[in-house]
Short mmCIF file of all heavy atoms in Angstrom, two decimals:
data_model
loop_
_atom_site.label_atom_id
_atom_site.label_comp_id
_atom_site.label_asym_id
_atom_site.label_seq_id
_atom_site.Cartn_x
_atom_site.Cartn_y
_atom_site.Cartn_z
N GLY X 599 -34.28 52.15 -58.58
CA GLY X 599 -35.02 52.84 -57.53
C GLY X 599 -35.36 51.96 -56.35
O GLY X 599 -36.01 52.38 -55.39
N LYS X 600 -34.92 50.70 -56.41
CA LYS X 600 -35.22 49.77 -55.32
C LYS X 600 -34.36 50.08 -54.09
O LYS X 600 -33.24 50.58 -54.21
CB LYS X 600 -34.96 48.33 -55.78
CG LYS X 600 -35.96 47.84 -56.82
CD LYS X 600 -35.69 46.38 -57.20
CE LYS X 600 -36.74 45.88 -58.19
NZ LYS X 600 -36.52 44.46 -58.56
N PRO X 601 -34.89 49.74 -52.89
CA PRO X 601 -34.12 50.02 -51.66
C PRO X 601 -32.85 49.17 -51.59
O PRO X 601 -32.84 48.01 -51.99
CB PRO X 601 -35.09 49.64 -50.54
CG PRO X 601 -36.07 48.71 -51.17
CD PRO X 601 -36.19 49.14 -52.60
N VAL X 602 -31.80 49.79 -51.07
CA VAL X 602 -30.51 49.11 -50.89
C VAL X 602 -30.21 49.06 -49.40
O VAL X 602 -30.26 50.09 -48.71
CB VAL X 602 -29.36 49.85 -51.62
CG1 VAL X 602 -28.04 49.11 -51.42
CG2 VAL X 602 -29.68 49.99 -53.11
N SER X 603 -29.93 47.87 -48.90
CA SER X 603 -29.62 47.71 -47.48
C SER X 603 -28.40 46.80 -47.32
O SER X 603 -28.04 46.06 -48.23
CB SER X 603 -30.81 47.13 -46.71
OG SER X 603 -31.16 45.87 -47.25
N VAL X 604 -27.80 46.89 -46.15
CA VAL X 604 -26.67 46.02 -45.83
C VAL X 604 -26.98 45.33 -44.51
O VAL X 604 -27.55 45.94 -43.60
CB VAL X 604 -25.35 46.84 -45.77
CG1 VAL X 604 -25.41 47.92 -44.72
CG2 VAL X 604 -24.15 45.94 -45.53
N LYS X 605 -26.66 44.05 -44.42
CA LYS X 605 -27.03 43.27 -43.23
C LYS X 605 -26.06 42.10 -43.05
O LYS X 605 -25.18 41.88 -43.90
CB LYS X 605 -28.47 42.76 -43.35
CG LYS X 605 -28.74 41.90 -44.57
CD LYS X 605 -30.22 41.57 -44.75
CE LYS X 605 -30.98 42.73 -45.33
NZ LYS X 605 -32.40 42.42 -45.61
N ILE X 606 -26.24 41.38 -41.98
CA ILE X 606 -25.37 40.23 -41.68
C ILE X 606 -26.14 38.95 -41.99
O ILE X 606 -27.34 38.86 -41.76
CB ILE X 606 -24.90 40.24 -40.20
CG1 ILE X 606 -23.73 39.29 -39.98
CG2 ILE X 606 -26.04 39.93 -39.25
CD1 ILE X 606 -22.40 39.89 -40.33
N GLY X 607 -25.43 37.98 -42.55
CA GLY X 607 -26.04 36.69 -42.85
C GLY X 607 -25.17 35.55 -42.35
O GLY X 607 -24.12 35.77 -41.73
N ARG X 608 -25.58 34.33 -42.63
CA ARG X 608 -24.85 33.16 -42.14
C ARG X 608 -23.42 33.12 -42.65
O ARG X 608 -22.53 32.59 -42.01
CB ARG X 608 -25.58 31.88 -42.57
CG ARG X 608 -26.87 31.64 -41.83
CD ARG X 608 -27.45 30.28 -42.16
NE ARG X 608 -26.62 29.21 -41.65
CZ ARG X 608 -26.89 27.91 -41.81
NH1 ARG X 608 -27.96 27.56 -42.48
NH2 ARG X 608 -26.10 26.99 -41.31
N PHE X 609 -23.23 33.68 -43.86
CA PHE X 609 -21.90 33.63 -44.46
C PHE X 609 -21.20 34.99 -44.46
O PHE X 609 -20.30 35.24 -45.23
CB PHE X 609 -22.00 33.08 -45.89
CG PHE X 609 -22.66 31.72 -45.95
CD1 PHE X 609 -23.96 31.58 -46.39
CD2 PHE X 609 -21.97 30.60 -45.52
CE1 PHE X 609 -24.57 30.33 -46.42
CE2 PHE X 609 -22.58 29.35 -45.53
CZ PHE X 609 -23.89 29.22 -45.99
N GLY X 610 -21.67 35.88 -43.58
CA GLY X 610 -21.02 37.17 -43.45
C GLY X 610 -21.90 38.32 -43.92
O GLY X 610 -23.05 38.12 -44.33
N PRO X 611 -21.36 39.54 -43.90
CA PRO X 611 -22.14 40.71 -44.29
C PRO X 611 -22.37 40.78 -45.80
O PRO X 611 -21.52 40.36 -46.58
CB PRO X 611 -21.27 41.88 -43.81
CG PRO X 611 -19.89 41.33 -43.77
CD PRO X 611 -20.01 39.88 -43.43
N PHE X 612 -23.55 41.31 -46.20
CA PHE X 612 -23.85 41.41 -47.63
C PHE X 612 -24.77 42.60 -47.89
O PHE X 612 -25.43 43.12 -47.00
CB PHE X 612 -24.49 40.12 -48.14
CG PHE X 612 -25.84 39.81 -47.53
CD1 PHE X 612 -27.02 40.23 -48.14
CD2 PHE X 612 -25.93 39.09 -46.34
CE1 PHE X 612 -28.25 39.95 -47.57
CE2 PHE X 612 -27.16 38.81 -45.78
CZ PHE X 612 -28.33 39.24 -46.39
N VAL X 613 -24.79 43.01 -49.16
CA VAL X 613 -25.66 44.09 -49.62
C VAL X 613 -26.84 43.46 -50.35
O VAL X 613 -26.68 42.49 -51.10
CB VAL X 613 -24.91 45.06 -50.55
CG1 VAL X 613 -25.86 46.14 -51.09
CG2 VAL X 613 -23.74 45.70 -49.82
N GLN X 614 -28.02 44.03 -50.14
CA GLN X 614 -29.23 43.54 -50.81
C GLN X 614 -29.91 44.68 -51.55
O GLN X 614 -30.12 45.76 -50.99
CB GLN X 614 -30.19 42.93 -49.78
CG GLN X 614 -31.51 42.44 -50.38
CD GLN X 614 -32.40 41.79 -49.33
OE1 GLN X 614 -31.92 41.03 -48.49
NE2 GLN X 614 -33.68 42.10 -49.36
N ILE X 615 -30.24 44.44 -52.83
CA ILE X 615 -31.04 45.39 -53.61
C ILE X 615 -32.43 44.78 -53.78
O ILE X 615 -32.57 43.68 -54.31
CB ILE X 615 -30.42 45.66 -55.00
CG1 ILE X 615 -29.03 46.31 -54.86
CG2 ILE X 615 -31.32 46.58 -55.81
CD1 ILE X 615 -28.34 46.56 -56.18
N GLY X 616 -33.46 45.50 -53.34
CA GLY X 616 -34.83 44.99 -53.43
C GLY X 616 -35.28 44.35 -52.14
O GLY X 616 -34.51 44.21 -51.18
N LEU X 617 -36.56 43.95 -52.13
CA LEU X 617 -37.16 43.35 -50.93
C LEU X 617 -37.58 41.91 -51.21
O LEU X 617 -37.89 41.54 -52.35
CB LEU X 617 -38.38 44.16 -50.48
CG LEU X 617 -38.11 45.63 -50.13
CD1 LEU X 617 -39.42 46.36 -49.89
CD2 LEU X 617 -37.22 45.73 -48.91
N ALA X 618 -37.61 41.09 -50.19
CA ALA X 618 -37.92 39.66 -50.34
C ALA X 618 -39.35 39.43 -50.82
O ALA X 618 -39.64 38.46 -51.51
CB ALA X 618 -37.69 38.94 -49.01
N ASP X 619 -40.27 40.36 -50.47
CA ASP X 619 -41.68 40.13 -50.84
C ASP X 619 -42.06 40.76 -52.18
O ASP X 619 -43.22 40.79 -52.57
CB ASP X 619 -42.59 40.68 -49.73
CG ASP X 619 -42.30 42.14 -49.40
OD1 ASP X 619 -41.43 42.73 -50.06
OD2 ASP X 619 -42.96 42.67 -48.48
N GLU X 620 -41.07 41.29 -52.93
CA GLU X 620 -41.35 41.84 -54.24
C GLU X 620 -41.40 40.74 -55.30
O GLU X 620 -40.90 39.62 -55.09
CB GLU X 620 -40.26 42.86 -54.62
CG GLU X 620 -40.33 44.15 -53.80
CD GLU X 620 -39.24 45.13 -54.19
OE1 GLU X 620 -38.28 44.71 -54.88
OE2 GLU X 620 -39.34 46.32 -53.81
N LYS X 621 -41.98 41.07 -56.45
CA LYS X 621 -42.11 40.10 -57.53
C LYS X 621 -40.74 39.64 -58.01
O LYS X 621 -40.49 38.44 -58.18
CB LYS X 621 -42.90 40.73 -58.69
CG LYS X 621 -43.17 39.76 -59.83
CD LYS X 621 -43.98 40.44 -60.92
CE LYS X 621 -44.24 39.48 -62.07
NZ LYS X 621 -44.99 40.13 -63.18
N ASP X 622 -39.85 40.60 -58.25
CA ASP X 622 -38.49 40.26 -58.66
C ASP X 622 -37.67 39.90 -57.43
O ASP X 622 -37.73 40.60 -56.40
CB ASP X 622 -37.82 41.45 -59.38
CG ASP X 622 -38.55 41.77 -60.68
OD1 ASP X 622 -39.07 40.84 -61.30
OD2 ASP X 622 -38.59 42.97 -61.04
N LYS X 623 -36.90 38.83 -57.55
CA LYS X 623 -36.07 38.41 -56.41
C LYS X 623 -34.98 39.45 -56.13
O LYS X 623 -34.45 40.06 -57.04
CB LYS X 623 -35.41 37.06 -56.71
CG LYS X 623 -36.36 35.89 -56.65
CD LYS X 623 -35.61 34.59 -56.84
CE LYS X 623 -36.55 33.41 -56.72
NZ LYS X 623 -35.83 32.11 -56.90
N PRO X 624 -34.65 39.66 -54.85
CA PRO X 624 -33.59 40.62 -54.52
C PRO X 624 -32.24 40.16 -55.07
O PRO X 624 -32.01 38.97 -55.29
CB PRO X 624 -33.57 40.60 -52.99
CG PRO X 624 -34.84 39.99 -52.57
CD PRO X 624 -35.23 39.05 -53.65
N GLN X 625 -31.35 41.11 -55.27
CA GLN X 625 -29.97 40.83 -55.67
C GLN X 625 -29.08 40.91 -54.43
O GLN X 625 -29.31 41.74 -53.54
CB GLN X 625 -29.48 41.84 -56.71
CG GLN X 625 -30.15 41.72 -58.06
CD GLN X 625 -29.64 42.81 -58.99
OE1 GLN X 625 -30.14 43.93 -59.01
NE2 GLN X 625 -28.61 42.48 -59.76
#
Side-chain angles (χ1 to χ4, degrees):
K600 291 182 177 181
V602 180
S603 60
V604 60
K605 58 187 78 176
I606 195 83
R608 289 187 67 181
F609 303 104
F612 64 93
V613 176
Q614 177 177 318
I615 298 178
L617 301 172
D619 55 2
E620 290 180 345
K621 184 178 179 182
D622 296 327
K623 287 185 178 180
Q625 291 177 274

